[in-house]
Amino acid sequence: MSRLTMLLQIAWRNLLASPVNLIIGGLILAGTFLFVVVGGLLDSLNDSMARSVIGSVAGHIQIYSSKSKDELSLFGGMGGDPDLSAVTEFPRIKEALEQVENVKEVVPMGSSGALITAGNIVDVTLERLRNLFKARDGQLDDPRLKGLSREELDTRIASTRRHVRQMIKVLEADQKKALAILKNQAIDPDVVASLAKVSQDAFWDDFDKDAMGSLEFLENKIAPQVTDAQMMFLRYLGTDLDRFQTSFDRMQIIDGTPVPKGQRGFLLAKLFYEDQMKLKNARRLDKLRDAKANGRLIAKDDELKRFVKENRSQTRDIVLQMDDLKTAEATKKLQTFLASTEPDLTTLLSTFFDTTDENLEARHQYFYKELAPMVELYKVRVGDTLTIKAFTRGGAIQAVNVRVYGTFSFTGLEKSPLAGGTSLMDLMSFRDLYGYLTADKAEELKQLQRDTGAKTVSRESAEDALFGEGNTIVAEATAGIIDEENSFTGVGRRLREDDLVKRVYTDSEINGGVILNAAVMVKDPTKLTETIAEINRVSQEKNLSIKAVSWQQASGILGQIITFFRGVLFLAVLFIFGIAMVIINNAMMMATMQRTQTIGTMRAIGAQRSLILTMVLTESVVLGVLFGGVGILLGSGVMAWLHERGIPAPNDVAYFFFSGPKLLPQLSSGNLVIALIIILLVTLISTLFPALIATRVSPLRAMQSDE
Amino acid sequence: MNSIVSIRDVVKEYELGTTVVQALRGVSLEVMKGEFLSIAGPSGSGKTTLLNLIGCVDTATRGVVEVAGKDTAKLTERELTDLRLNTIGFIFQSFNLVAVLNVFQNVEFPLLLQRKLGSKERRDRVMNLLEQVGLHTHAKHRPSELSGGQRQRVAVARALVTDPLLVLADEPTANLDSATGNQIIDLMKELNQKKGTTFIFSTHDHKVMQHANAVIRLADGKVLARESAKDAVAHALSLGEAPAEAPAGARV
Ligand SMILES: Nc1ncnc2c1ncn2[C@@H]1O[C@H](COP(=O)(O)OP(=O)(O)OP(=O)(O)O)[C@@H](O)[C@H]1O
Ligand SMILES: [Mg+2]
């Protein structure tokens, strides 16, 4: 013990004697600090990301067909969705997996996407008008117009006509502005003439004489002038919605209700709903208010300034939604609110949306109280039926109607585009869209065969017969105000409407069909690796043809980000400690050379070689532990401070990695132990050679004088 | 038999490139317990070489070196080290204190290596020796804060702290002025008489020599004579060797 004290004392005093030790110590300190803080942050990030990924889509383990061409990548890979083979024997797989000790629940899944076109508002309104005319003339059996009296239909026709005329007025005003800027030659004279014609009272007086002809003229000449049709990419995950909801307990319904048990239905991701489906002006007002709550100022923030600018110039979405009565009402309201005599609604709106840090709150409030009730805030409302068309794997176009029951988000991940970008759909609809034969479809095919008298209809040609409309749109979904009645012809029509929407499917029907992947929830998440191995073993044994991967692997690039940064950290620390090792080695070598007489003397008076070895090693270990210890302490301090304070998510994407608005980094004792081990290894290894040299110093060296 | 060192027909050769230097050419010598023996001889005569062999820090090319009854040629490196630790004390020409340790710690060092005594006993032993060399008041001082004579006293205390059978000192006074040198020799002599510790020291200096019980006179690697201090001094004076005031660092 006192020997050790003495060695420590010698080490300590030797260290004090040499300034190079400060440099070495600084390097060790920096390396340890970096390791503790960055390592701790990465660990915390990994944990929180794990919570996000596991809690939103992946579960702990994902399984998919081992015959798949690509690896599973839940958040999409470099080149879009991975090419996965279908899993056809899910019930058997589920049964086998539930035998595995650590498995709690298996949730079937399949994800895909479709482009939705939200048609332009003029088109939609004209379509509505056309249906009203047809219904009045008894030509169309639109269920929504069924049972309306002749008077009621006439009132609606009159109101819709006024709406169309109001739209034309708006377009005219637009055109006037454009003419002023562009000079005449830039504008197609035919367009000018058409607009001039339909703004005449004469056109409208004669409208009813040839309602269909007049409508066609409007559709061909006027509607194309509004070019704001919007394409949206809708990502959806088909799943057993009940099981999903219980397994992923961070999921919560925001608007509407859950899809009733066993039924077809759609739940829109809240963030997607807000970002893509909401009236843009309203969305931007929300964002401005959020930003203000986070301390950002319009006056000082370019992005916010852009929002205001866009809000001021893009008021047409609102104006076009209003017929003449609403336009007059809105104009009056705004004149009062803004204390203005301006007669033009567009100009008034532009003034209204000129929000500043001072008036934002009041205008936001006024907008929702007074203006929002006069327009449709969302392109799709809860309760609407969404028609989603997508290419099947066979290349045919498949269409499915799904009722939107509500919106949902994951607690803590409300603002994350990654977690809030995927909507949920029942598995039956998913299978329809994905192009695999479901029981419903098979039934329908049979009926088709009977109807057409065909003896044999191959699956491909049947799909063509069902859905082959020669349509070139990739996919389209229409609903709500966008298109109340998009014509959907063919036998597939029968897929729509009440029976399918209301049908309740049994568990075996839901599980019985094709899926692409499945999430496995486990009881003990610390035993993930073992459970994955066990599942893969069971799959081999029972010939299930599935592959199990961790949530990390399943999340593709995303899951590897942390691993990547770990690698970077590792290299940085390796680099620092590498330099430290070289310097320590050199310094200790020089120190040994300068101390040969002392070492020789110690040897002469009876010190064994082992003592000399210990002495030299002690010196660098003391150096390492001392500075490394300070590094660890500083690092732990910083981590504790960060834990206390939390790191706010710098942007929406970070919400996912932080698993919420704030990351509360936590220091794991494991990291400290690893840091200590690294320090010890670094110092010991780099001093080993000088220490061995020191043991070779002969006691004879004591007799020689130092000259 | 009271012989503590027994050397027979020892030859020590150094290889310098292609030539072989014979530092000792057949030396035989017996040293008895309690002797206060001086080794004298001109520079290059082999004094240091002989002391190194006795001190077990070097090995003979031929011949037998027995220290405390052990044939040093038959001991391993570790055993030689233990022998040095437990039976031999060293006093060096240039003091060789550990610069980063204070006086107390320097003296305590061999005891710590021995691991025989508890801290209190070590303390008592060290303080006792420091008192005997007159430095108990300087226990906390660092070697750099002491004069040459004081340093050598610390070295004497360190050499004696383990109660060795034999203390070897190669020109212990060469780096000191003659008065201080004499004090060191007096101190050694006193300890020799009080404790009966055997001392072997080499010197050029006849004033130092005269304290010895006996003087071994070396020349050209051979023992010329074993004689009384008086005869040795007389011999030295007759050769007109450097007087007592010879400056420090007389070696070449
Ligand atoms: N390590 C060595 N390598 C080669 N030759 C050596 C070595 N040590 C001593 N010698 C030679 O051995 C001979 C005896 O040297 P030694 O140091 O024993 O003499 P010394 O009597 O102690 O001399 P001095 O009074 O100068 O200290 C000398 O010729 C010396 O040159
Ligand atoms: Mg000598």
Side-chain angles (χ1 to χ4, degrees):
Chain A
M1 193 59 219
S2 358
R3 242 157 84 107
L4 186 68
T5 320
M6 175 199 66
L7 288 178
L8 287 174
Q9 197 155 10
I10 293 177
W12 174 242
R13 297 206 172 136
N14 276 333
L15 288 177
L16 287 183
S18 165
V20 74
N21 288 321
L22 269 181
I23 298 171
I24 299 171
L27 279 171
I28 292 176
L29 196 153
T32 329
F33 180 80
L34 199 72
F35 182 84
V36 169
V37 172
V38 181
L41 283 177
L42 285 178
D43 277 358
S44 307
L45 266 182
N46 198 47
D47 286 355
S48 58
M49 203 178 83
R51 263 180 279 133
S52 292
V53 174
I54 293 170
S56 63
V57 277
H60 297 106
I61 299 170
Q62 280 275 327
I63 56 162
Y64 63 104
S65 168
S66 56
K67 296 183 195 116
S68 302
K69 263 200 221 131
D70 295 339
E71 284 181 7
L72 177 66
S73 165
L74 291 173
F75 298 95
M78 286 291 193
D81 278 333
D83 189 351
L84 299 181
S85 291
V87 174
T88 48
E89 295 185 291
F90 182 63
R92 201 162 76 85
I93 292 166
K94 188 171 151 70
E95 197 188 332
L97 293 193
E98 276 166 357
Q99 302 292 308
V100 175
E101 159 117 2
N102 197 20
V103 170
K104 193 162 73 182
E105 181 79 275
V106 186
V107 185
M109 289 178 171
S111 61
S112 187
L115 274 173
I116 315 176
T117 43
N120 87 47
I121 183 141
V122 179
D123 265 336
V124 172
T125 314
L126 289 176
E127 184 67 26
R128 198 182 297 167
L129 190 55
R130 182 196 300 274
N131 285 339
L132 285 165
F133 273 117
K134 279 187 177 173
R136 192 187 65 179
D137 301 343
Q139 285 171 0
L140 188 92
D141 52 345
D142 183 334
R144 267 168 288 204
L145 301 178
K146 243 181 228 166
L148 290 181
S149 67
R150 169 98 200 189
E151 289 72 37
E152 177 64 30
L153 284 170
D154 276 336
T155 326
R156 285 206 188 180
I157 286 173
S159 141
T160 313
R161 269 179 60 156
R162 286 203 316 274
H163 189 179
V164 174
R165 287 204 74 175
Q166 179 62 35
M167 284 173 164
I168 289 165
K169 262 193 213 159
V170 172
L171 292 178
E172 243 186 336
D174 281 359
Q175 198 181 64
K176 248 183 229 151
K177 270 185 232 159
L179 281 171
I181 299 165
L182 292 172
K183 308 282 185 295
N184 291 358
Q185 67 270 33
I187 292 177
D188 185 352
D190 188 34
V191 169
V192 181
S194 317
L195 204 54
K197 180 180 169 187
V198 298
S199 58
Q200 305 286 314
D201 286 339
F203 177 83
W204 292 95
D205 293 341
D206 292 344
F207 194 91
D208 281 14
K209 283 183 195 150
D210 178 14
M212 291 303 135
S214 306
L215 276 168
E216 208 175 305
F217 182 83
L218 287 169
E219 270 166 2
N220 291 338
K221 299 286 184 184
I222 306 302
Q225 295 186 33
V226 181
T227 50
D228 55 2
Q230 204 196 344
M231 303 280 271
M232 290 178 265
F233 187 71
L234 177 72
R235 256 194 91 77
Y236 51 82
L237 179 79
T239 184
D240 179 339
L241 289 169
D242 293 307
R243 205 157 264 130
F244 188 92
Q245 223 157 328
T246 46
S247 296
F248 295 89
D249 52 11
R250 286 178 81 167
M251 174 191 164
Q252 61 188 140
I253 300 291
I254 307 295
D255 309 301
T257 60
V259 176
K261 192 170 165 47
Q263 287 192 25
R264 286 171 177 257
F266 205 80
L267 291 173
L268 283 167
K270 178 67 174 171
L271 189 73
F272 174 82
Y273 190 56
E274 293 291 313
D275 271 348
Q276 305 289 330
M277 302 274 191
K278 196 173 192 177
L279 184 71
K280 290 278 174 282
N281 296 67
R283 181 66 181 147
R284 281 191 288 257
L285 270 188
D286 295 346
K287 281 190 165 173
L288 283 169
R289 205 168 75 130
D290 277 0
K292 199 185 170 198
N294 286 334
R296 287 165 68 187
L297 290 176
I298 297 172
K300 286 185 183 162
D301 194 309
D302 284 342
E303 193 192 15
L304 302 186
K305 275 185 195 149
R306 185 164 55 81
F307 284 163
V308 172
K309 211 176 131 199
E310 284 169 355
N311 256 0
R312 295 195 59 188
S313 60
Q314 297 168 20
T315 53
R316 229 169 40 165
D317 271 356
I318 299 174
V319 174
L320 284 179
Q321 276 199 47
M322 296 181 178
D323 61 17
D324 53 349
L325 298 179
K326 281 184 180 167
T327 305
E329 190 190 338
T331 306
K332 222 176 84 196
K333 277 183 180 172
L334 282 174
Q335 281 174 343
T336 318
F337 181 73
L338 297 169
S340 161
T341 52
E342 170 64 44
D344 179 42
L345 181 59
T346 305
T347 315
L348 282 168
L349 280 169
S350 179
T351 312
F352 176 79
F353 282 121
D354 188 7
T355 45
T356 63
D357 293 309
E358 289 73 40
N359 68 20
L360 179 66
E361 192 57 44
R363 299 225 167 154
H364 184 272
Q365 222 172 5
Y366 186 84
F367 176 83
Y368 279 99
K369 191 161 162 270
E370 300 293 338
L371 299 180
M374 300 172 74
V375 294
E376 291 289 357
L377 267 183
Y378 294 94
K379 286 171 185 142
V380 173
R381 289 158 303 186
V382 168
D384 281 345
T385 298
L386 207 58
T387 303
I388 300 173
K389 288 189 190 178
F391 267 124
T392 66
R393 285 177 60 87
I397 290 174
Q398 183 71 294
V400 165
N401 278 38
V402 210
R403 196 180 129 111
V404 176
Y405 277 89
T407 66
F408 73 96
S409 68
F410 296 102
T411 311
L413 299 177
E414 290 86 353
K415 290 194 177 171
S416 163
L418 276 169
T422 304
S423 299
L424 291 175
M425 181 191 273
D426 68 283
L427 261 182
M428 308 312 276
S429 305
F430 173 78
R431 284 181 195 134
D432 284 347
L433 283 172
Y434 203 66
Y436 283 98
L437 229 47
T438 56
D440 291 324
K441 279 277 194 260
E443 176 60 36
E444 204 172 334
L445 266 179
K446 256 188 232 148
Q447 205 179 334
L448 178 74
Q449 284 174 359
R450 274 198 302 277
D451 288 356
T452 57
K455 294 242 152 37
T456 49
V457 180
S458 73
R459 196 183 132 207
E460 289 300 310
S461 60
E463 278 191 8
D464 277 349
L466 274 166
F467 312 111
E469 295 168 308
N471 202 335
T472 49
I473 303 167
V474 176
E476 116 184 339
T478 46
I481 59 159
I482 303 305
D483 192 350
E484 281 174 352
E485 182 43 43
N486 187 35
S487 61
F488 183 64
T489 53
V491 192
R493 175 87 196 243
R494 295 196 192 99
L495 266 175
R496 310 193 52 197
E497 304 311 338
D498 306 347
D499 49 334
L500 278 190
V501 171
K502 282 184 192 141
R503 226 186 113 176
V504 177
Y505 294 87
T506 64
D507 241 21
S508 73
E509 279 177 302
I510 293 172
N511 288 329
V514 151
I515 59 158
L516 292 183
N517 54 307
V520 178
M521 316 300 285
V522 300
K523 293 168 193 153
D524 180 0
T526 59
K527 289 193 193 136
L528 221 52
T529 326
E530 292 92 319
T531 311
I532 290 171
E534 176 67 9
I535 292 176
N536 282 329
R537 195 188 60 75
V538 169
S539 163
Q540 284 259 296
E541 194 183 281
K542 302 197 174 163
N543 216 359
L544 300 175
S545 301
I546 54 159
K547 196 152 90 182
V549 293
S550 69
W551 62 268
Q552 221 150 1
Q553 247 177 303
S555 46
I557 304 168
L558 201 69
Q560 263 104 69
I561 286 178
I562 300 292
T563 316
F564 171 75
F565 282 121
R566 278 235 179 84
V568 173
L569 171 72
F570 179 76
L571 286 181
V573 170
L574 200 76
F575 182 72
I576 293 180
F577 281 130
I579 293 177
M581 280 173 87
V582 171
I583 300 184
I584 293 174
N585 186 280
N586 274 318
M588 290 309 289
M589 207 67 199
M590 276 171 59
T592 302
M593 289 311 165
Q594 280 166 6
R595 274 181 233 153
T596 48
Q597 202 187 25
T598 308
I599 294 169
T601 304
M602 289 177 171
R603 294 280 288 120
I605 62 181
Q608 295 286 359
R609 283 188 170 146
S610 55
L611 183 106
I612 304 300
L613 187 80
T614 319
M615 183 178 81
V616 179
L617 290 182
T618 305
E619 191 167 326
S620 62
V621 167
V622 164
L623 180 72
V625 168
L626 209 73
F627 284 93
V630 173
I632 285 178
L633 276 180
L634 274 181
S636 308
V638 168
M639 288 298 282
W641 178 71
L642 284 177
H643 180 76
E644 195 63 36
R645 198 178 140 270
I647 305 170
N651 54 44
D652 292 349
V653 177
Y655 270 70
F656 193 77
F657 295 97
F658 286 15
S659 197
K662 254 186 183 181
L663 180 71
L664 295 177
Q666 192 110 41
L667 193 60
S668 71
S669 49
N671 260 4
L672 297 187
V673 172
I674 293 173
L676 260 173
I677 292 175
I678 291 179
I679 295 165
L680 286 178
L681 280 180
V682 162
T683 48
L684 283 177
I685 290 172
S686 53
T687 324
L688 211 57
F689 188 65
L692 283 175
I693 296 285
T695 64
R696 297 287 136 192
V697 171
S698 160
L700 271 174
R701 184 64 189 81
M703 312 302 161
Q704 293 151 11
S705 77
D706 247 346
E707 289 143 57
Chain B
M1 199 189 87
N2 263 343
S3 158
I4 188 157
V5 176
S6 171
I7 289 174
R8 291 189 295 279
D9 306 322
V10 160
V11 173
K12 177 68 183 175
E13 292 172 350
Y14 291 110
E15 276 177 42
L16 277 178
T18 49
T19 56
V20 173
V21 181
Q22 280 208 329
L24 296 176
R25 319 162 175 238
V27 171
S28 294
L29 181 67
E30 292 285 323
V31 182
M32 296 300 147
K33 235 178 208 159
E35 271 196 274
F36 197 70
L37 184 69
S38 174
I39 297 175
S43 188
S45 57
K47 304 184 291 290
T48 301
T49 306
L50 183 57
L51 279 172
N52 286 348
L53 292 182
I54 299 169
C56 302
V57 291
D58 208 352
T59 47
T61 312
R62 281 187 294 280
V64 179
V65 178
E66 276 179 20
V67 177
K70 287 178 182 130
D71 183 350
T72 56
K74 293 188 177 134
L75 298 181
T76 64
E77 220 284 322
R78 289 185 69 87
E79 287 165 340
L80 286 173
T81 308
D82 276 337
L83 187 68
R84 291 198 296 270
L85 175 62
N86 295 315
T87 42
I88 306 173
F90 286 88
I91 297 166
F92 304 91
Q93 180 182 336
S94 40
F95 325 133
N96 293 20
L97 298 177
V98 180
V100 293
L101 298 179
N102 66 23
V103 165
F104 181 92
Q105 288 165 327
N106 264 288
V107 178
E108 192 193 21
F109 190 83
L111 293 178
L112 288 172
L113 293 178
Q114 279 187 329
R115 304 206 224 201
K116 281 181 190 158
L117 303 179
S119 76
K120 185 168 173 338
E121 290 164 290
R122 282 200 310 270
R123 210 190 149 68
D124 292 347
R125 178 80 72 86
V126 172
M127 287 317 286
N128 182 292
L129 266 156
L130 283 180
E131 216 169 304
Q132 292 188 46
V133 302
L135 280 173
H136 53 287
T137 50
H138 289 64
K140 291 268 158 62
H141 287 235
R142 291 281 196 96
S144 57
E145 296 160 359
L146 301 178
S147 71
Q150 285 173 321
R151 284 184 214 185
Q152 199 61 309
R153 281 158 190 267
V154 177
V156 170
R158 178 177 67 182
L160 284 153
V161 76
T162 54
D163 254 340
L165 287 174
L166 173 66
V167 172
L168 302 176
D170 190 9
E171 308 202 32
T173 60
N175 281 350
L176 302 169
D177 61 68
S178 69
T180 320
N182 272 328
Q183 283 171 14
I184 291 296
I185 295 297
D186 284 341
L187 176 65
M188 283 163 53
K189 180 95 192 184
E190 188 190 325
L191 291 165
N192 164 260
Q193 281 166 359
K194 225 167 32 183
K195 302 193 174 200
T197 313
T198 313
F199 277 81
I200 307 174
F201 61 96
S202 69
T203 186
H204 283 96
D205 186 346
H206 58 269
K207 282 210 169 163
V208 172
M209 240 177 273
Q210 69 196 5
H211 295 276
N213 303 138
V215 177
I216 305 285
R217 196 135 50 78
L218 284 183
D220 268 345
K222 284 187 173 149
V223 177
L224 281 190
R226 181 185 175 113
E227 52 197 7
S228 69
K230 220 189 211 170
D231 294 349
V233 172
H235 179 85
L237 289 175
S238 73
L239 287 176
E241 262 202 352
E245 289 79 25
R251 66 181 266 140
V252 189

